[in-house]
C-alpha cells in the first residue's frame, strides 16, 4: 500500500501544475482548469414564481502534453451544475480528447473528440473564464437545454478538423473544415443511444473568416441529416419522408474592437429540407453585445439576444433577452461577474400569454 | 512625462535582425510559434508594472488585460502556453541570452552584447 502511495506521489510530483504558468520548458504533463460558482435569482413577472440557488455552474479539468514540438495531446473533463453522482445532480462529460499536429500556422490538424469552429462562440462557449457572461447568449447556454434544442443550433462535436490561417499583410484569412458523426447518435429514438453512428452520413462543416488586429468576421456552415422519426410519428406523417432529413446550418459572426469598446455579434439560421408544406422546423438565433473596458480590470456590457425555434404545426417558441452585466478581474486568475437579464418567451401553444422573467446572477470564476 | 527607450531583444542566433510590428504581435499573441528557421519562439514578459512594460504593450496596441485574455484563450483552447513573466529586466536579459529562439523586452540602457536588438521603441514625450 505504501509503495502504491509513493508511486502516486511521484507521479503527481512529476506533473506540471500550470495555471497561467508559462511557455513550455519541456514536454511535461500539464494539469490546469477553471470553475465558476454562481448565485442566481429568477423572478417571473405577473406570476408568483421565484427561484434562487447557488450552483457550481461548471468545473473543467484539462490535461495537456506536448508530445513533440509539433504534436500536442489535450483532454478536457467537464462537470456542470454542482455535479454529484451521489445525489444525482448535474452531469459530467468528456468534452474534448484530441491530439493536434501543427505543421505551420497555415495547416494544423486536430484529431479526436473536439468542439468544432463555428461562428465566434462555439469553441469557447463552455470556457467560462473567457466570457464576461454568466448566462451565455441563448443558443450557447447549456442550462436552457431543457427548453431549447441547443444541439440543433450549433455543432457540438467533431472528430477531425483541419484549420489555420494565411497572412497577407495586416489581414489574416482563417479557415477550419471539420467532419463528425451524424446526429443519429442523439436522435434515433428507435435504437438505444450508444454514441455510435449507425448511418452512412457525416456531419461536415467549416468556418472561413478574415481578421485584423481589431476586426474579426466570418461565415460558418454545417450539413448533416437529422432523424425526425418522433415528429413524424407524433403528427402521423409519412415516416419514410422524415428519415434522415437534410439539415443546413448557416452562421455569420462579426466582432470589432475599437479602443475600449467591443462589439460582438452572431447570426445562425438552421433549415431542414423536410419538403412538407405544413411542417416548419427552422430555427434562428441572433445576438449582439456591446462592451466597454472601463478600467484595466473592469468590463461592462449590454446585449440583445433573439432565438426563434419552430416546431410547427405543434408549437414554436420565441425568446428575447435583454441583458447587462459586468466582470471584474480581482487578479490574474480570479474574476467576479454580475449579470441581469430580462427574458421574454412566447409560445404558439399560448400565444396570448408571453412569459417574462427577470434574472439576476452573481459569479466567481477561477482559473487554476 | 518621458519614458525610457525600450529594446526588443532576441537570442543571438535568431534568424531575423528586425521584426515588423505585425510579426512582433504575432509572436506575443502566440499566433506564430516558430521562427523562419523552424526554431520555436519562446516569449518572455515582464512582471512588474513599469514604463518599459507600458511602452511595450502600447507598441503592440493592446492593453495588458487584453493580452492576458488572448493568452488565456490560447491556453484554454490547448493552443499554447502564456509567456513566462519574469521579475526584472536583468532576468529577461539573462533568459533571452540563454534560451534559443527567445524574445523579450528591456530598457535599452540595460542591453548587453549577449543578445540581439531587433527593434527599438523610440523615446516619446507624453
Amino acid at each position: 500500500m505504501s509503495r502504491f502511495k509513493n508511486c502516486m506521489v511521484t507521479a503527481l510530483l512529476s506533473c506540471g501544475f500550470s495555471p497561467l504558468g508559462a511557455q513550455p520548458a519541456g514536454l511535461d504533463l500539464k494539469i490546469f482548469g477553471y470553475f465558476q460558482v454562481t448565485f442566481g435569482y429568477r423572478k417571473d413577472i405577473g406570476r408568483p414564481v421565484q427561484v434562487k440557488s447557488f450552483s457550481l455552474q461548471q468545473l473543467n479539468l484539462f490535461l495537456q502534453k506536448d508530445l513533440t514540438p509539433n504534436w500536442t495531446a489535450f483532454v478536457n473533463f467537464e462537470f456542470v451544475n454542482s455535479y454529484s453522482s451521489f445525489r444525482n445532480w448535474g452531469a459530467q462529460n468528456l468534452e474534448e480528447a484530441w491530439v493536434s499536429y501543427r505543421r505551420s500556422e497555415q495547416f494544423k490538424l486536430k484529431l479526436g473528440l473536439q468542439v468544432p469552429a463555428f461562428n465566434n462562440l462555439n469553441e469557447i462557449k463552455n470556457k467560462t473564464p473567457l466570457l464576461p457572461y454568466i448566462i451565455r447568449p441563448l443558443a450557447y447556454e447549456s442550462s436552457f437545454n431543457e427548453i431549447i434544442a441547443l444541439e440543433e443550433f450549433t455543432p457540438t462535436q467533431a472528430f477531425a478538423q483541419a484549420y489555420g490561417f494565411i497572412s497577407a499583410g495586416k489581414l489574416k484569412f482563417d479557415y477550419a473544415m471539420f467532419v463528425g458523426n451524424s446526429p443519429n447518435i442523439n436522435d434515433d429514438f428507435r435504437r438505444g443511444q450508444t454514441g455510435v453512428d449507425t448511418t452512412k452520413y457525416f456531419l461536415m462543416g467549416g468556418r472561413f473568416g478574415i481578421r485584423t488586429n481589431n476586426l474579426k468576421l466570418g461565415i460558418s456552415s454545417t450539413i448533416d441529416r437529422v432523424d425526425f422519426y418522433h415528429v413524424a410519428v407524433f403528427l402521423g406523417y409519412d415516416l419514410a419522408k422524415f428519415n434522415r432529413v437534410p439539415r443546413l446550418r448557416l452562421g455569420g459572426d462579426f466582432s470589432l474592437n475599437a479602443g475600449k469598446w467591443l462589439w460582438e455579434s452572431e447570426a445562425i439560421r438552421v433549415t431542414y429540407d423536410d419538403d412538407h408544406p405544413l411542417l416548419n422546423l427552422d430555427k434562428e438565433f441572433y445576438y449582439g453585445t456591446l462592451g466597454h473596458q472601463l478600467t484595466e480590470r473592469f468590463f461592462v456590457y449590454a446585449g440583445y439576444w433573439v432565438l426563434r425555434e419552430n416546431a410547427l404545426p405543434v408549437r414554436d417558441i420565441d425568446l428575447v433577452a435583454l441583458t447587462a452585466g459586468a466582470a471584474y478581474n480581482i487578479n490574474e486568475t480570479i474574476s467576479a461577474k454580475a449579470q441581469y437579464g430580462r427574458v421574454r418567451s412566447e409560445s404558439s401553444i399560448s400565444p396570448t400569454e408571453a412569459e417574462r422573467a427577470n434574472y439576476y446572477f452573481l459569479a466567481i470564476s477561477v482559473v487554476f | 512625462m518621458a519614458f525610457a527607450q525600450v529594446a526588443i531583444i532576441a537570442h543571438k542566433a535568431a534568424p531575423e535582425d528586425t521584426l515588423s510590428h505585425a510579426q512582433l504581435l504575432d509572436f506575443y499573441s502566440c499566433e506564430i510559434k516558430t521562427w523562419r528557421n523552424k526554431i520555436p519562439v519562446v516569449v518572455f514578459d515582464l512582471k512588474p508594472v513599469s514604463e518599459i512594460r507600458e511602452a511595450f504593450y502600447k507598441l503592440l496596441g493592446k492593453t495588458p488585460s487584453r493580452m492576458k485574455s488572448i493568452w488565456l484563450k490560447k491556453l484554454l483552447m490547448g493552443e499554447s502556453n502564456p509567456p513566462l513573466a519574469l521579475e526584472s529586466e536583468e532576468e529577461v536579459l539573462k533568459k533571452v541570452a540563454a534560451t534559443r529562439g527567445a524574445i523579450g523586452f528591456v530598457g535599452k540602457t540595460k542591453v548587453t552584447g549577449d543578445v540581439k536588438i531587433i527593434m527599438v521603441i523610440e523615446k516619446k514625450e507624453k
Side-chain angles (χ1 to χ4, degrees):
Chain A
M1 186 65 187
S2 65
R3 191 172 170 186
F4 173 75
K5 274 185 186 168
N6 286 341
C7 287
M8 288 301 288
V9 170
T10 309
L12 282 170
L13 288 175
S14 64
C15 295
F17 290 89
S18 166
L20 281 183
Q23 294 208 78
L27 304 177
D28 293 338
L29 175 66
K30 289 183 273 293
I31 303 173
F32 55 101
Y34 58 85
F35 60 85
Q36 182 159 295
V37 188
T38 64
F39 173 74
Y41 173 67
R42 173 187 153 196
K43 170 102 175 62
D44 283 14
I45 298 170
R47 296 194 309 163
V49 177
Q50 289 186 44
V51 181
K52 58 183 185 307
S53 182
F54 289 98
S55 169
L56 178 61
Q57 187 183 19
Q58 194 162 321
L59 182 153
N60 286 61
L61 189 61
F62 299 112
L63 307 178
Q64 184 192 349
K65 183 161 180 166
D66 294 327
L67 304 172
T68 73
N70 292 338
W71 289 89
T72 300
F74 187 83
V75 177
N76 174 5
F77 297 100
E78 185 168 281
F79 305 83
V80 297
N81 296 336
S82 307
Y83 171 70
S84 166
S85 61
F86 179 72
R87 298 185 175 94
N88 288 327
W89 286 343
Q92 64 167 322
N93 186 30
L94 179 57
E95 185 75 358
E96 296 171 85
W98 47 258
V99 64
S100 72
Y101 170 71
R102 185 186 186 99
R103 182 183 160 83
S104 64
E105 283 65 45
Q106 291 84 32
F107 182 77
K108 290 175 264 186
L109 190 63
K110 209 186 263 187
L111 299 170
L113 179 61
Q114 60 194 279
V115 182
F118 187 87
N119 274 1
N120 183 40
L121 275 189
N122 195 47
E123 282 176 291
I124 59 167
K125 64 189 169 196
N126 290 333
K127 305 204 162 153
T128 51
L130 301 176
L131 306 172
Y133 314 110
I134 302 170
I135 293 294
R136 291 153 277 198
L138 300 165
Y140 295 108
E141 180 46 61
S142 56
S143 61
F144 290 161
N145 205 22
E146 287 176 13
I147 51 171
I148 305 168
L150 296 178
E151 291 198 353
E152 307 225 357
F153 284 89
T154 57
T156 54
Q157 282 187 355
F159 281 83
Q161 181 168 242
Y163 64 107
F165 67 84
I166 295 157
S167 289
K170 289 185 175 177
L171 286 177
K172 287 190 174 67
F173 295 90
D174 293 313
Y175 77 91
M177 292 179 291
F178 55 83
V179 63
N181 283 328
S182 82
N184 97 304
I185 61 166
N186 280 338
D187 66 11
D188 190 341
F189 294 86
R190 288 163 292 188
R191 301 180 179 91
Q193 302 295 302
T194 62
V196 174
D197 189 351
T198 55
T199 71
K200 62 180 181 181
Y201 304 109
F202 286 108
L203 159 80
M204 285 183 287
R207 179 182 180 275
F208 294 93
I210 302 174
R211 69 192 150 100
T212 65
N213 204 358
N214 296 313
L215 175 83
K216 179 183 160 195
L217 57 97
I219 53 166
S220 305
S221 182
T222 71
I223 48 170
D224 58 5
R225 283 174 180 257
V226 189
D227 196 333
F228 280 135
Y229 175 81
H230 58 300
V231 176
V233 168
F234 185 76
L235 298 174
Y237 291 162
D238 180 2
L239 289 180
K241 280 191 173 179
F242 293 91
N243 195 11
R244 317 288 177 230
V245 175
R247 170 172 64 185
L248 174 69
R249 294 185 184 100
L250 277 175
D253 61 273
F254 174 75
S255 307
L256 179 67
N257 203 332
K260 293 183 173 180
W261 291 92
L262 175 75
W263 170 258
E264 271 186 8
S265 53
E266 280 191 30
I268 298 171
R269 182 163 171 77
V270 190
T271 54
Y272 300 84
D273 189 11
D274 47 57
D275 204 21
H276 195 291
L278 295 177
L279 192 65
N280 179 3
L281 298 165
D282 296 352
K283 294 167 179 51
E284 290 173 349
F285 171 65
Y286 312 95
Y287 88 82
T289 300
L290 180 66
H292 184 66
Q293 193 79 46
L294 277 178
T295 70
E296 257 303 285
R297 291 165 180 257
F298 196 34
F299 181 76
V300 293
Y301 63 90
Y304 183 69
W305 308 339
V306 178
L307 182 142
R308 293 199 181 94
E309 185 179 17
N310 291 317
L312 293 173
V314 182
R315 62 149 207 175
D316 66 348
I317 185 168
D318 281 16
L319 284 173
V320 179
L322 276 168
T323 188
Y328 181 77
N329 294 329
I330 296 168
N331 59 36
E332 281 191 17
T333 55
I334 304 174
S335 56
K337 302 178 185 178
Q339 187 174 2
Y340 163 75
R342 187 180 178 89
V343 179
R344 181 177 183 275
S345 64
E346 203 171 306
S347 169
S348 59
I349 294 173
S350 53
T352 53
E353 278 185 49
E355 291 177 12
R356 287 169 296 152
N358 288 318
Y359 289 81
Y360 305 87
F361 282 93
L362 296 171
I364 289 284
S365 174
V366 180
V367 180
F368 57 89
Chain B
M1 192 179 82
F3 56 72
Q5 282 181 300
V6 180
I8 319 300
I9 53 171
H11 186 265
K12 281 204 119 176
E16 314 282 354
D17 292 327
T18 59
L19 285 180
S20 69
H21 175 261
Q23 283 175 308
L24 187 65
L25 183 60
D26 281 343
F27 282 174
Y28 264 85
S29 54
C30 308
E31 290 276 4
I32 292 181
K33 294 171 72 173
T34 54
W35 293 89
R36 190 163 35 100
N37 60 1
K38 301 292 176 197
I39 297 292
V41 177
V42 181
V43 176
F44 290 108
D45 190 19
L46 196 54
K47 206 174 213 172
V49 177
S50 65
E51 285 181 354
I52 302 289
R53 185 168 174 262
E54 196 182 308
F56 177 72
Y57 279 102
K58 206 170 216 175
L59 173 77
L60 293 182
K62 306 279 182 191
T63 62
S65 63
R66 182 77 192 120
M67 283 310 293
K68 281 199 177 107
S69 69
I70 289 170
W71 292 332
L72 184 60
K73 183 175 178 183
K74 295 281 182 191
L75 176 75
L76 299 184
M77 298 285 291
E79 291 276 330
S80 66
N81 295 305
L84 183 60
L86 301 174
E87 293 294 340
S88 67
E89 293 174 59
E90 287 73 20
E91 207 179 336
V92 173
L93 261 176
K94 218 163 105 180
K95 284 277 189 188
V96 171
T99 312
R100 205 158 174 236
I103 183 169
F105 58 94
V106 293
K108 196 183 170 197
T109 54
K110 299 271 170 72
V111 178
T112 65
D114 297 335
V115 296
K116 182 195 274 191
I117 295 182
I118 50 175
M119 190 188 289
V120 173
I121 306 174
E122 293 300 332
K123 188 174 178 177
K124 286 180 184 171
E125 297 294 332
K126 275 188 189 174

